[in-house]
């Protein structure tokens, strides 16, 4: 079906653009991965850009869903949602341009992957800062789009410690330059930006020797061209076709050339050669501006490919280093790092060092689990699972789950979403992984405590079907509950709660409303154990009051004979307390 063009750049245009950009990157992902040789030939730029835009699109959809629902969901009364963190000025008629733009930028920031994905997040953030400058404005026009593209290119360049020409930065600057010379509506400006980007992309092999040697254009720049093509389609309804020839790329630079065609020393002028940093380190960071400025200097001395994006207290840090621990420690000194990802270029990427290392053998079976806090992530990892960390209000996208399944590197995978709201996301990820030849079983765990029960009976040496049945039975036999604080007034199954009330949710429904965390937790535990049980699992969040675990353990010992209790520290998991009864 043909796309209906948008006349102005409004909230609906942001939504449309994100959806079209995601589809475009989905189609071009493998091509972009194949030409990824700079700054490191790790063959994942297309995938990283796709995951970054998927996160942005998911955040925008959450804002629109908040309006379309017409009311505040019960789940949002006890925790921060994506839309709640970026759409604070929602009205009765739909999200404003500022709401949608902020959602896009925030989603890209928290979901940014890799060097190019992090830069793209800053490009989107730069655009959002201009689009949202006048919060009451319902839309902007061609003039506003020109300013947004200019600010995006400039802010992305400032985010990179040592900008290099012949990369996505050059393509973004050329797009902004071309847009600045165009006069007309958003369609005219976006088309000029796209054409400028195509011309700049064609020139990248002449600016970077590594691209010239490999016979490819810059992968990050190619991804940005796809995103700008989606912008053109948003405003004109037409899909501008991209090809090397159409953009002036010389036949000596085939777009589909594989990175293995580069000679062993093709990256001698930059990171990714045999003497380059061994690790990519990425993390989100809560920190003040002054601390981030000091962090930039420290990380710049530790490695290269440093990109720091974000602001307003939340940042995304990307750097290539030899000492991954030092890069993380620097983040700890600056603020609170989380969603920490460390990738060894020589282990997971078959062609990261000119194809010297053979691919490692796949494991027979693995478990992939979504976990709500760092403490549980450590517990699951110790048990052998590959984890995906879900921060409060930041649910993982399906692409993140697919990536985790790939990272597990197994022929058979058991997927534990550990959240009822992730059911469809996990199902989509499982289906995608199956198309890649991986046998995936999705166990519909609704809480991390059900996942713990399933993982406890996991036996990789057992037949796959038998293992899945055993894990599913263990999860299903575990009742789950959580204790949290209401953020706003809401109707519940137990009556009306006010902001600040302590809520006890059993199997997803509010069962107890109280004023004291420990007393409410005891009431919840009594309700659960009234139906019997042999083992109580308590997972404490960082904000749980001192002594609550001891009180609950004492309660179990005194009132329920032959029931054991285990306690774990969950970290910043959203809920004050998770409870499981088996």
């Amino acid at each position: 079906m043909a796309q209906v063009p948008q006349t102005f750049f409004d909230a609906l245009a942001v939504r449309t653009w994100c959806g079209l950009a995601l589809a475009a990157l989905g189609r071009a992902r493998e091509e972009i991965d194949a030409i990824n040789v700079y700054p490191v030939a790790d063959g994942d730029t297309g995938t990283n850009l796709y995951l970054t835009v998927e996160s942005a699109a998911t955040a925008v959809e959450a804002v629109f869903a908040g309006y379309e629902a017409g009311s505040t969901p019960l789940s949002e009364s006890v925790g921060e949602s994506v839309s709640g963190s970026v759409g604070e000025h929602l009205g009765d008629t739909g999200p404003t341009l500022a709401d949608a733009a902020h959602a896009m930028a925030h989603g890209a920031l928290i979901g940014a992957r890799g060097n190019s994905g992090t830069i793209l997040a800053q490009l989107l953030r730069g655009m959002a800062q201009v689009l949202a400058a006048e919060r009451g404005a319902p839309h902007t026009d061609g003039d506003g789009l020109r300013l947004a593209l200019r600010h995006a290119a400039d802010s992305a360049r400032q985010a990179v410690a040592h900008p290099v020409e012949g990369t996505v930065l050059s393509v973004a600057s050329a797009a902004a330059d071309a847009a600045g010379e165009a006069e007309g509506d958003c369609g005219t400006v976006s088309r000029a930006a796209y054409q400028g980007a195509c011309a700049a992309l064609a020139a990248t092999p002449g600016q970077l020797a590594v691209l010239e040697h490999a016979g490819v254009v810059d992968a990050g720049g190619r991804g940005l061209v796809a995103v700008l093509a989606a912008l053109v389609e948003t405003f004109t309804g037409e899909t501008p076709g991209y090809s090397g020839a159409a953009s002036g790329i010389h036949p000596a630079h085939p777009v589909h050339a594989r990175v293995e065609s580069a000679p062993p020393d093709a990256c001698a002028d930059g990171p990714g050669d045999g003497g380059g940093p061994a690790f990519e380190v990425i993390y989100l960071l809560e920190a003040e501006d002054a601390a981030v400025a000091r962090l930039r200097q420290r990380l710049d001395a530790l490695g290269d490919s440093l990109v720091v994006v974000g602001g307003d207290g939340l940042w995304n840090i990307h750097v290539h280093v030899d000492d991954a621990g030092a890069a993380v420690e620097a983040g700890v000194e600056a603020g609170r790092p989380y969603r920490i990802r460390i990738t060894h270029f020589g282990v997971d990427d078959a062609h990261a060092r000119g194809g010297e290392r053979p691919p490692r053998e796949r494991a027979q079976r693995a478990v992939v689990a979504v976990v709500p806090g760092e403490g549980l992530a450590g517990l699951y990892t110790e048990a052998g699972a590959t984890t995906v960390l879900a921060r409060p209000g930041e649910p993982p996208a399906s692409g993140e789950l697919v990536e985790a399944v790939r990272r597990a590197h197994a022929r058979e995978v058991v997927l534990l979403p550990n959240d009822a709201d992730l059911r469809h996301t996990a199902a989509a990820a499982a289906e995608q992984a199956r198309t890649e030849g991986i046998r995936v079983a999705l166990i519909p765990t609704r809480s991390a405590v059900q996942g713990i029960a399933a993982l406890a009976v996991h036996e990789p040496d057992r037949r796959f079907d038998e293992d899945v049945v055993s894990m599913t039975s263990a999860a299903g036999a575990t009742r789950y509950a959580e204790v949290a604080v209401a953020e706003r007034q809401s109707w519940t199954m137990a009556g009306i709660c006010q902001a600040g009330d302590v809520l006890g949710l059993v199997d997803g429904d509010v069962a107890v409303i109280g004023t004291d965390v420990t007393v409410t937790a005891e009431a919840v535990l009594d309700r659960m154990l009234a139906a019997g049980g042999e083992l109580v699992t308590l997972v404490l969040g960082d904000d749980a009051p001192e002594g609550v675990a001891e009180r609950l353990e004492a309660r179990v010992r005194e009132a329920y004979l032959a029931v054991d209790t285990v306690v774990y520290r969950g970290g910043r998991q959203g809920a004050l307390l998770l409870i499981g009864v088996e």
Side-chain angles (χ1 to χ4, degrees):
M1 179 180 296
Q3 174 64 42
V4 178
Q6 303 295 314
T7 305
F8 295 102
F9 208 152
D10 57 7
L12 183 58
V14 173
R15 183 188 200 182
T16 302
W17 181 32
C18 287
L20 291 173
L22 184 63
L25 288 171
R27 293 189 297 269
R29 181 182 63 80
E30 292 185 1
E31 170 197 322
I32 297 171
D33 282 346
I35 63 173
N36 173 201
V37 297
Y38 185 87
V40 174
D42 48 359
D44 62 358
T45 291
T47 299
N48 288 336
L49 290 171
Y50 179 87
L51 293 173
T52 301
V53 173
E54 182 183 45
S55 183
T58 299
V60 173
E61 288 300 322
V63 170
F64 275 87
Y67 282 102
E68 293 164 359
S71 61
T72 300
L74 174 61
S75 61
E76 292 186 14
S77 71
V78 297
E80 180 185 25
S81 68
V82 174
S83 59
S85 65
V86 295
E88 298 171 351
H89 300 273
L90 303 183
D92 296 329
T93 59
T96 65
L97 172 60
D99 292 323
H102 276 308
M104 173 183 70
H106 180 76
L109 177 67
I110 64 174
R113 299 300 183 92
N115 189 70
S116 294
T118 308
I119 293 173
L120 178 61
Q122 187 65 12
L123 287 168
L124 296 180
R125 177 180 171 82
M127 290 191 69
Q129 288 174 327
V130 174
L131 297 176
E134 298 182 18
R135 289 204 61 89
H139 59 255
T140 192
D141 54 13
D143 290 338
L145 179 55
R146 278 197 298 271
L147 292 174
L149 290 168
R150 179 77 270 163
H151 186 63
D154 293 344
S155 61
R157 191 169 287 269
Q158 293 168 5
V160 178
H162 302 284
V164 175
E165 298 306 325
T167 65
V168 64
L169 296 177
S170 302
V171 177
S173 294
D177 291 343
E181 297 177 0
E183 295 185 5
D185 59 13
C186 289
T188 301
V189 173
S190 62
R191 190 180 297 279
Y194 170 77
Q195 292 171 346
C198 286
L201 179 64
T204 56
Q207 295 173 294
L208 268 181
V210 61
L211 302 179
E212 181 77 27
H213 285 309
V216 297
V217 295
D218 179 66
R222 172 66 183 91
L224 180 58
V225 164
V227 172
L228 291 174
L231 188 64
V232 174
E233 185 176 359
T234 298
F235 294 117
T236 68
E238 301 173 1
T239 305
Y242 170 81
S243 69
S247 300
I249 298 176
H250 192 276
H253 305 295
V255 171
H256 294 283
R258 296 296 304 179
V259 294
E260 287 86 353
S261 65
D265 62 346
C267 295
D269 294 328
D273 60 293
F279 298 96
E280 177 184 59
V281 178
I282 306 174
Y283 50 81
L284 292 179
L285 178 71
E286 293 178 356
E288 299 297 327
D289 290 2
V292 172
R294 293 190 295 270
L295 176 65
R296 286 178 188 266
Q297 296 179 347
R298 174 124 182 235
L299 292 179
D300 194 26
L302 286 176
D304 55 36
S305 296
L306 173 61
V307 185
V308 179
V309 305
D312 302 321
L314 180 62
W315 308 81
N316 192 307
I317 311 298
H318 171 280
V319 68
H320 294 173
V321 294
D322 280 321
D323 190 344
V328 175
E329 289 171 7
V332 172
E333 292 179 7
R336 192 183 72 82
Y338 59 98
R339 281 199 179 184
I340 301 168
R341 295 176 55 83
I342 299 174
T343 302
H344 192 304
F345 290 126
V347 172
D348 293 327
D349 306 301
H351 53 264
R353 293 292 184 271
E356 295 174 5
R357 290 179 175 84
R360 59 190 174 97
E361 181 67 21
R362 284 186 179 274
Q364 180 60 35
R365 190 174 308 158
V367 176
V368 172
V370 179
V371 291
E374 294 92 341
L376 280 178
L379 174 67
Y380 273 74
T381 300
E382 289 177 6
T386 297
T387 61
V388 177
L389 189 60
R391 302 298 308 174
E394 300 171 8
S398 62
E400 292 182 75
L401 300 188
V402 173
E403 184 180 299
V405 171
R406 293 172 181 148
R407 195 167 69 246
H409 206 64
R411 299 181 182 88
E412 302 168 339
V413 171
V414 179
L415 183 57
L416 306 175
N418 291 339
D419 186 336
D421 292 336
L422 289 178
R423 181 177 70 256
H424 297 302
T425 300
E431 189 61 32
Q432 173 61 36
R434 291 183 187 116
T435 65
E436 299 177 10
I438 304 171
R439 188 180 186 187
V440 181
L442 171 60
I443 298 179
T445 48
R446 296 170 173 265
S447 169
V449 292
Q450 288 189 324
I452 291 173
L455 199 55
V457 299
H458 169 55
E459 292 186 15
D461 294 332
R462 197 161 41 190
R463 287 181 59 248
F464 185 65
D465 291 339
E466 293 177 356
D467 197 26
V468 171
V469 168
S470 178
M471 295 176 71
T472 302
S473 297
T478 302
R479 300 188 68 197
Y480 64 96
E482 67 177 84
V483 177
V485 176
E487 293 188 348
R488 59 185 67 87
Q489 184 185 65
S490 180
W491 289 89
T492 77
M493 297 291 290
I496 300 176
C497 71
Q498 304 295 330
D501 282 349
V502 180
L503 306 181
L505 293 87
V506 178
D507 294 336
D509 292 323
V510 175
V512 180
I513 300 176
T515 57
D516 180 83
V517 173
T518 303
V519 173
T520 302
E522 286 183 328
V524 169
L525 190 57
D526 285 340
R527 280 176 175 258
M528 298 179 75
L529 287 173
E534 299 176 354
L535 176 66
V536 173
T537 300
L538 305 175
V539 183
L540 302 178
D542 281 346
D543 296 327
E546 284 291 328
V548 63
E550 290 78 4
R551 280 278 299 273
L552 294 177
E553 286 183 289
R555 176 71 177 170
V556 172
R557 284 196 304 270
E558 294 167 2
Y560 303 97
L561 298 177
V563 176
D564 296 323
T565 305
V566 293
V567 181
Y568 302 110
R569 294 282 176 180
R572 187 170 179 244
Q573 60 185 21
L576 298 174
L577 175 68
L578 300 178
I579 304 173
V581 174
E582 301 175 45

